[in-house]
């Protein structure tokens, strides 16, 4: 195959899908000197991005965007991709109503790419970055071959290259990936590996494999992370019943064992976000379809779902009747440094509290706008921490934002009832007066 990857500054890169992965990747590539064409079928979204109005909050993104957007062309017109040597596909793969992954976006992109390949002679390498279950890359490739009437290898290249970036760290992770996984067709695989070598200019582990294995690696990775979190949450729940036990000491000690590793052992309200819950569910459904019992994965999911009920039950036990009680929630996003509330445990907890007719007031440095779209006037919103604490019957810390770590006894003076539930143990060393309960130390109050 005759793919010519020209000098970096001249290499034109296409990206389809202006979500977290696509947009972060686009600005990092542009920053490094590449010419980028970013395509999204959502004209409104593309229009806004073009006016420098980014669709989500992500640290460093707007700074990078302002510095490099002159090298990015934003459009909804697929035809522009004809100018590109490499085209990355970064569209979403949500969970459908049946619990299976919804592949309609990637299939649609496959058809569009097939159409432009049919009409022109350019020979791009297509790189599927979207998270897809094993077998999908070959299906998409078949769509492209059928529509374009061209065979992979001769007229275009096609590889699978899963993405591991985290929200809140999207730019850092895109600049410093811990691994590069490339699956698929040999010639294109080598060329994409070379592209990344030129791009990063430093040693990053590379795994070259086939399509199916590359696809599975992403699910195995996220499912293992979810497993670590559910594991430590279960240990935390045990600690809550042992006077004096502390989950952080347990996590620190077991994390020193190199066979375990210290990351992803922070107990809390359970994992949320757009990836871990979705990917675990997709792997469960896929495994069941294969006839393999996903017993461990299901237990991980069940343990995670349990955390929100656990927090809710403690609030109920402490306040007895939740009707009209002022319950203050600190943190709405599923993690700090993000405005994303998808699958956020905080949102699930608020839903349960509203059902009990509690008077819920919420604070978050970034995620209030997104939360308003869900709860509208059913809850109250504030950008002032003192305001939501004032006259409160119970304060619950849900997201580990930096500013919540600075809270002290003096901040809680005006609470009506000093009940503080700290699901992330941010204030555990502060000797908080009143009733201070935290997951993994004394949530069940036995440690007093
Ligand atoms: C995840 C994967 O980490 C990333 O590699 C993949 O590309 C996308 O999915 P992300 O969803 O951005 O990234 O968030 P992550 O940092 O993994 O956190 C997920 C959830 O787990 C958050 O709700 C977080 O609060 C929770 N978490 C994480 C814990 O409760 N404890 C931990 O120790 C780590």
């Amino acid at each position: 195959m005759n793919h010519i990857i020209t000098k970096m500054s001249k290499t034109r890169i296409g990206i389809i899908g202006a979500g977290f992965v696509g947009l972060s990747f686009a600005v990092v590539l542009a920053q490094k000197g590449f010419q980028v064409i970013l395509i999204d079928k959502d004209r409104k979204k593309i229009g806004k991005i073009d006016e420098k109005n980014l669709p989500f909050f992500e640290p460093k993104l707007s700074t990078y965007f302002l510095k490099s957007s002159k090298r990015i062309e934003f459009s909804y017109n697929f035809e522009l991709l004809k100018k590109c040597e490499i085209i990355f596909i970064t569209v979403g793969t949500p969970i459908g109503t049946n619990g299976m992954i919804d592949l309609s976006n990637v299939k649609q992109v496959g058809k569009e790419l097939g159409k432009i390949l049919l009409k022109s002679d350019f020979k791009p390498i297509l790189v599927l970055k979207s998270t897809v279950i094993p077998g999908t890359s070959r299906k998409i490739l078949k769509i492209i071959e059928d529509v374009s009437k061209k065979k992979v290898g001769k007229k275009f290249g096609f590889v699978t290259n899963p993405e591991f970036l985290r929200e809140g760290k999207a730019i850092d992770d895109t600049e410093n990936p811990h691994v590069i996984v490339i699956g698929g067709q040999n010639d294109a695989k080598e060329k994409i590996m070379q592209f990344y070598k030129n791009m990063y200019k430093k040693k990053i582990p590379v795994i070259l494999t086939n399509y199916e294995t590359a696809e599975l690696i992403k699910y195995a990775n996220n499912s293992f992370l979810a497993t670590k979190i559910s594991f430590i949450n279960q240990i935390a729940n045990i600690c809550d019943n042992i006077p004096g036990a502390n989950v952080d000491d347990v996590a620190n000690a077991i994390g020193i064992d190199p066979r375990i590793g210290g990351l992803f052992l922070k107990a809390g309200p359970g994992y949320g976000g757009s990836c871990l819950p979705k990917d675990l569910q997709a792997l469960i459904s896929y495994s069941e379809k294969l006839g393999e019992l996903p017993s461990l994965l299901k237990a991980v999911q069940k343990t995670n779902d349990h955390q929100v009920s656990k927090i809710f039950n403690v609030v109920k036990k402490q306040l007895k009747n939740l009707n009209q009680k002022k319950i203050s929630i600190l943190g709405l996003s599923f993690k700090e440094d993000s405005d994303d509330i998808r699958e956020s445990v905080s949102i699930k907890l608020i839903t349960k509290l509203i059902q009990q007719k509690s008077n819920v007031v919420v604070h978050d440095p970034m995620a209030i706008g997104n939360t308003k779209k869900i709860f509208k006037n059913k809850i109250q919103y504030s950008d002032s921490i003192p305001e939501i604490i004032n006259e409160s019957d119970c304060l619950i810390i849900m997201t580990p934002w930096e500013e919540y770590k600075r809270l002290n006894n003096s901040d809680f003076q005006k609470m009506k009832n000093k009940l503080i539930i700290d699901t992330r143990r941010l204030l555990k060393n502060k000797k908080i007066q009143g009733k201070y309960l935290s997951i993994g130390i004394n949530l069940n109050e036995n440690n007093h």
Side-chain angles (χ1 to χ4, degrees), residues 310-423:
K310 188 180 142 106
I311 300 163
F312 175 76
N313 288 337
V314 170
V315 183
K316 217 170 152 191
K317 185 176 138 200
Q318 292 293 333
L319 296 181
K320 313 276 182 310
N321 181 3
L322 297 180
N323 193 347
Q324 296 309 315
K325 293 278 162 63
K326 176 171 176 178
I327 302 189
S328 318
I329 307 282
L330 287 185
L332 302 164
S333 55
F334 81 103
K335 68 189 281 190
E336 69 281 24
D337 296 331
S338 167
D339 63 357
D340 196 343
I341 54 166
R342 284 176 290 176
E343 293 296 317
S344 168
V345 183
S346 199
I347 301 300
K348 292 180 184 163
L349 180 66
I350 295 168
T351 307
K352 280 176 172 282
L353 292 168
I354 295 176
Q355 280 162 2
Q356 301 294 314
K357 300 194 168 44
S358 298
N359 171 16
V360 180
V361 286
V362 301
H363 175 276
D364 190 285
M366 285 293 163
I368 289 213
N370 283 336
T371 308
K372 277 185 180 167
K373 289 181 202 155
I374 298 186
F375 294 115
K376 305 200 168 68
N377 61 1
K378 288 192 184 128
I379 60 174
Q380 292 171 54
Y381 310 87
S382 175
D383 52 13
S384 150
I385 299 179
E387 188 175 273
I388 83 156
I389 290 180
N390 193 21
E391 287 294 302
S392 175
D393 290 290
C394 173
L395 176 76
I396 311 175
I397 303 175
M398 291 297 289
T399 314
W401 284 98
E402 269 310 308
E403 60 190 278
Y404 301 157
K405 295 180 186 165
R406 292 193 286 269
L407 291 171
N408 277 309
N409 263 318
S410 55
D411 296 301
F412 307 124
Q413 293 312 320
K414 292 196 173 155
M415 285 183 78
K416 191 167 165 191
N417 172 37
K418 273 196 203 151
L419 170 63
I420 295 149
I421 298 177
D422 183 356
T423 67

Side-chain angles (χ1 to χ4, degrees), residues 64-219:
Y64 271 56
F65 184 86
L66 290 176
K67 277 199 248 167
S68 64
S69 59
K70 56 182 179 299
R71 277 192 289 275
I72 311 176
E73 194 174 342
F74 303 98
S75 180
Y76 49 84
N77 180 7
F78 271 77
E79 297 278 329
L80 293 181
L81 294 169
K82 280 182 199 160
K83 298 188 230 166
C84 299
E85 291 159 64
I86 305 176
I87 301 171
F88 290 91
I89 303 164
T90 59
V91 293
T93 48
I95 283 286
T97 39
N98 55 359
M100 304 286 282
I101 172 173
D102 175 357
L103 296 173
S104 50
N105 290 333
V106 255
K107 283 185 179 162
Q108 186 57 34
V109 167
K111 279 186 207 152
E112 297 291 343
L113 286 170
K115 281 191 227 163
I116 54 171
L117 279 167
L118 175 70
K119 285 191 272 174
S120 65
D121 254 353
F122 78 130
K123 292 178 178 160
I125 301 182
L126 311 176
V127 184
L128 182 58
K129 266 197 170 296
S130 307
T131 302
V132 291
I133 47 160
T136 308
S137 293
R138 280 187 207 275
K139 274 191 204 154
I140 303 302
L141 179 55
K142 173 95 178 36
I143 293 174
I144 300 170
E145 287 185 327
D146 287 351
V147 177
S148 69
K149 302 194 174 47
K150 287 179 178 167
K151 279 274 160 222
V152 69
K154 278 209 174 101
K155 300 288 184 182
F156 66 98
F158 185 81
V159 298
T160 302
N161 167 222
E163 174 56 56
F164 299 95
L165 67 77
R166 296 162 291 174
E167 289 185 27
K169 297 264 187 295
I171 299 297
D172 290 347
D173 287 353
T174 306
E175 289 196 309
N176 296 295
H178 65 274
V179 69
I180 294 169
V181 175
I182 311 170
Q185 198 225 342
N186 277 336
D187 182 38
K189 222 160 44 176
E190 293 291 333
K191 292 227 160 76
I192 293 302
M193 181 173 76
Q194 206 47 54
F195 163 78
Y196 278 126
K197 279 195 173 154
N198 293 340
M199 174 181 168
Y200 288 118
K201 298 190 172 46
K202 60 186 155 196
K203 236 180 144 37
I204 296 166
V206 177
I207 305 290
L208 297 181
T209 182
N210 53 33
Y211 291 123
E212 289 73 15
T213 312
E215 292 164 326
L216 186 59
I217 286 170
K218 171 73 191 209
Y219 284 100

Side-chain angles (χ1 to χ4, degrees), residues 163-168 178 218 221-222 225 229 232-233 263-276 279 334-336 400 424:
E163 174 56 56
F164 299 95
L165 67 77
R166 296 162 291 174
E167 289 185 27
H178 65 274
K218 171 73 191 209
N221 202 103
N222 272 354
L225 294 175
I229 299 171
I232 202 66
N233 282 342
L263 300 177
F264 271 71
L265 286 179
K266 285 203 193 89
Y271 57 79
S274 65
C275 289
L276 261 47
D279 292 352
F334 81 103
K335 68 189 281 190
E336 69 281 24
R424 307 274 188 168

